[in-house]
Amino acid sequence: MTIRGTADEVQLAALTKILDDYCEQAGMEGSHPARQHLARRLIALFSGGIDSPDDIRMALDGIAKDWKPTGTNSHGL
């Protein structure tokens, strides 16, 4: 049994996978500045009792919208 807001090794592995998958899908690979921000938010969500992967992803969507690439510029680049 874990104390609310703490993660055992299985939960930590699941949270890491959620973050890795989310960042990859959002184009935030490697050392993208948003990755640490999202990781801190993910831990805060988990510590607050949100442990469903879908709920975490939805919450990250709201945070990540400011970091995601907007696509091409007016010159098609």
CSV table of all heavy atoms in Angstrom, one decimal, residues 1 6 9-11 16 19 21 24 26-28 30-31 35-36 40 48 50 55-56 65:
chain,number,residue,atom,x,y,z
A,1,MET,N,0.8,-1.2,0.0
A,1,MET,CA,0.0,0.0,0.0
A,1,MET,C,0.9,1.2,0.0
A,1,MET,O,1.9,1.3,0.7
A,1,MET,CB,-0.9,0.0,1.2
A,1,MET,CG,-1.7,1.3,1.4
A,1,MET,SD,-2.7,1.3,2.9
A,1,MET,CE,-4.2,0.8,2.2
A,6,THR,N,2.4,9.5,-2.9
A,6,THR,CA,3.6,8.9,-3.2
A,6,THR,C,3.5,7.8,-4.2
A,6,THR,O,2.4,7.2,-4.3
A,6,THR,CB,4.2,8.2,-1.9
A,6,THR,OG1,3.3,7.2,-1.4
A,6,THR,CG2,4.4,9.3,-0.8
A,9,GLU,N,7.3,1.9,-7.3
A,9,GLU,CA,8.1,1.7,-8.5
A,9,GLU,C,7.2,1.4,-9.7
A,9,GLU,O,7.5,1.9,-10.8
A,9,GLU,CB,9.2,0.7,-8.4
A,9,GLU,CG,8.7,-0.7,-8.1
A,9,GLU,CD,9.9,-1.7,-7.8
A,9,GLU,OE1,10.6,-1.4,-6.9
A,9,GLU,OE2,9.9,-2.7,-8.5
A,10,VAL,N,6.2,0.7,-9.6
A,10,VAL,CA,5.2,0.4,-10.7
A,10,VAL,C,4.5,1.7,-11.1
A,10,VAL,O,4.4,2.0,-12.3
A,10,VAL,CB,4.2,-0.7,-10.3
A,10,VAL,CG1,3.2,-0.8,-11.4
A,10,VAL,CG2,5.0,-2.0,-10.0
A,11,GLN,N,4.0,2.5,-10.1
A,11,GLN,CA,3.4,3.7,-10.5
A,11,GLN,C,4.3,4.7,-11.1
A,11,GLN,O,4.0,5.4,-12.0
A,11,GLN,CB,2.7,4.3,-9.2
A,11,GLN,CG,1.6,3.5,-8.7
A,11,GLN,CD,1.2,4.0,-7.3
A,11,GLN,OE1,2.0,4.2,-6.4
A,11,GLN,NE2,-0.1,4.0,-7.0
A,16,THR,N,6.2,7.8,-15.7
A,16,THR,CA,7.2,8.1,-16.7
A,16,THR,C,6.8,7.8,-18.1
A,16,THR,O,7.0,8.5,-19.0
A,16,THR,CB,8.5,7.3,-16.3
A,16,THR,OG1,8.9,7.6,-15.0
A,16,THR,CG2,9.6,7.6,-17.3
A,19,LEU,N,4.4,10.4,-19.3
A,19,LEU,CA,5.1,11.6,-19.7
A,19,LEU,C,5.9,11.4,-21.0
A,19,LEU,O,5.8,12.3,-21.9
A,19,LEU,CB,6.1,12.0,-18.6
A,19,LEU,CG,7.0,13.3,-18.9
A,19,LEU,CD1,6.1,14.5,-19.0
A,19,LEU,CD2,8.0,13.5,-17.8
A,21,ASP,N,5.4,9.3,-23.5
A,21,ASP,CA,4.4,9.1,-24.6
A,21,ASP,C,3.8,10.5,-25.0
A,21,ASP,O,3.7,10.9,-26.1
A,21,ASP,CB,3.4,8.1,-24.3
A,21,ASP,CG,3.9,6.7,-24.3
A,21,ASP,OD1,5.0,6.4,-24.7
A,21,ASP,OD2,3.1,5.8,-23.8
A,24,GLU,N,6.4,12.8,-26.6
A,24,GLU,CA,6.7,12.3,-28.0
A,24,GLU,C,5.6,12.7,-28.9
A,24,GLU,O,5.8,13.2,-30.0
A,24,GLU,CB,6.9,10.8,-28.0
A,24,GLU,CG,7.3,10.3,-29.4
A,24,GLU,CD,7.5,8.8,-29.4
A,24,GLU,OE1,7.8,8.2,-28.3
A,24,GLU,OE2,7.3,8.2,-30.5
A,26,ALA,N,3.5,15.1,-28.6
A,26,ALA,CA,3.4,16.6,-28.7
A,26,ALA,C,4.6,17.2,-29.4
A,26,ALA,O,4.7,18.4,-29.6
A,26,ALA,CB,3.2,17.2,-27.3
A,27,GLY,N,5.6,16.4,-29.8
A,27,GLY,CA,6.8,16.9,-30.4
A,27,GLY,C,7.8,17.5,-29.5
A,27,GLY,O,8.6,18.4,-29.9
A,28,MET,N,7.7,17.1,-28.2
A,28,MET,CA,8.6,17.7,-27.2
A,28,MET,C,9.6,16.6,-26.8
A,28,MET,O,9.5,16.0,-25.7
A,28,MET,CB,7.8,18.1,-25.9
A,28,MET,CG,6.8,19.1,-26.2
A,28,MET,SD,5.8,19.4,-24.6
A,28,MET,CE,4.4,20.2,-25.3
A,30,GLY,N,13.5,14.9,-26.2
A,30,GLY,CA,14.7,15.2,-25.6
A,30,GLY,C,14.6,16.1,-24.4
A,30,GLY,O,13.9,15.9,-23.5
A,31,SER,N,15.4,17.2,-24.5
A,31,SER,CA,15.4,18.2,-23.4
A,31,SER,C,14.6,19.4,-23.7
A,31,SER,O,14.9,20.5,-23.3
A,31,SER,CB,16.9,18.6,-23.2
A,31,SER,OG,17.4,19.2,-24.3
A,35,ARG,N,9.3,19.8,-21.1
A,35,ARG,CA,9.2,18.5,-20.5
A,35,ARG,C,9.3,18.6,-18.9
A,35,ARG,O,8.6,17.9,-18.3
A,35,ARG,CB,10.4,17.7,-21.0
A,35,ARG,CG,10.3,16.2,-20.6
A,35,ARG,CD,11.4,15.4,-21.2
A,35,ARG,NE,11.4,14.1,-20.6
A,35,ARG,CZ,10.6,13.1,-20.9
A,35,ARG,NH1,9.7,13.2,-21.9
A,35,ARG,NH2,10.7,11.9,-20.3
A,36,GLN,N,10.2,19.3,-18.4
A,36,GLN,CA,10.3,19.5,-16.9
A,36,GLN,C,9.1,20.1,-16.3
A,36,GLN,O,8.6,19.7,-15.3
A,36,GLN,CB,11.6,20.2,-16.5
A,36,GLN,CG,12.9,19.4,-16.6
A,36,GLN,CD,14.0,20.2,-16.0
A,36,GLN,OE1,14.0,21.4,-15.8
A,36,GLN,NE2,15.1,19.5,-15.7
A,40,ARG,N,6.7,18.2,-13.6
A,40,ARG,CA,6.3,18.7,-12.3
A,40,ARG,C,4.8,18.7,-12.2
A,40,ARG,O,4.3,18.4,-11.1
A,40,ARG,CB,6.9,20.1,-12.1
A,40,ARG,CG,8.4,20.1,-11.8
A,40,ARG,CD,8.9,21.5,-11.4
A,40,ARG,NE,8.7,22.5,-12.4
A,40,ARG,CZ,9.6,22.8,-13.3
A,40,ARG,NH1,10.8,22.1,-13.3
A,40,ARG,NH2,9.4,23.7,-14.2
A,48,GLY,N,-2.1,15.0,-5.9
A,48,GLY,CA,-3.4,15.5,-5.6
A,48,GLY,C,-4.5,14.4,-5.7
A,48,GLY,O,-5.7,14.7,-5.5
A,50,ILE,N,-5.0,12.4,-8.6
A,50,ILE,CA,-5.4,12.1,-10.0
A,50,ILE,C,-4.4,11.0,-10.4
A,50,ILE,O,-3.2,11.3,-10.6
A,50,ILE,CB,-5.4,13.3,-10.9
A,50,ILE,CG1,-6.4,14.3,-10.4
A,50,ILE,CG2,-5.6,12.9,-12.4
A,50,ILE,CD1,-6.4,15.6,-11.2
A,55,ASP,N,-7.1,10.9,-17.3
A,55,ASP,CA,-7.3,12.2,-16.6
A,55,ASP,C,-6.0,13.0,-16.6
A,55,ASP,O,-6.0,14.2,-16.7
A,55,ASP,CB,-7.8,11.9,-15.2
A,55,ASP,CG,-9.2,11.4,-15.1
A,55,ASP,OD1,-9.9,11.5,-16.1
A,55,ASP,OD2,-9.6,10.8,-14.0
A,56,ILE,N,-4.9,12.3,-16.4
A,56,ILE,CA,-3.6,13.0,-16.4
A,56,ILE,C,-3.3,13.6,-17.8
A,56,ILE,O,-2.9,14.8,-17.9
A,56,ILE,CB,-2.4,12.1,-16.0
A,56,ILE,CG1,-2.6,11.7,-14.5
A,56,ILE,CG2,-1.1,12.7,-16.2
A,56,ILE,CD1,-1.6,10.7,-14.0
A,65,LYS,N,-0.8,23.2,-24.1
A,65,LYS,CA,-1.2,24.0,-25.3
A,65,LYS,C,-0.3,25.2,-25.6
A,65,LYS,O,-0.1,25.6,-26.7
A,65,LYS,CB,-2.6,24.4,-25.2
A,65,LYS,CG,-2.9,25.4,-24.1
A,65,LYS,CD,-4.4,25.8,-24.1
A,65,LYS,CE,-4.6,26.9,-23.1
A,65,LYS,NZ,-5.4,26.5,-22.0
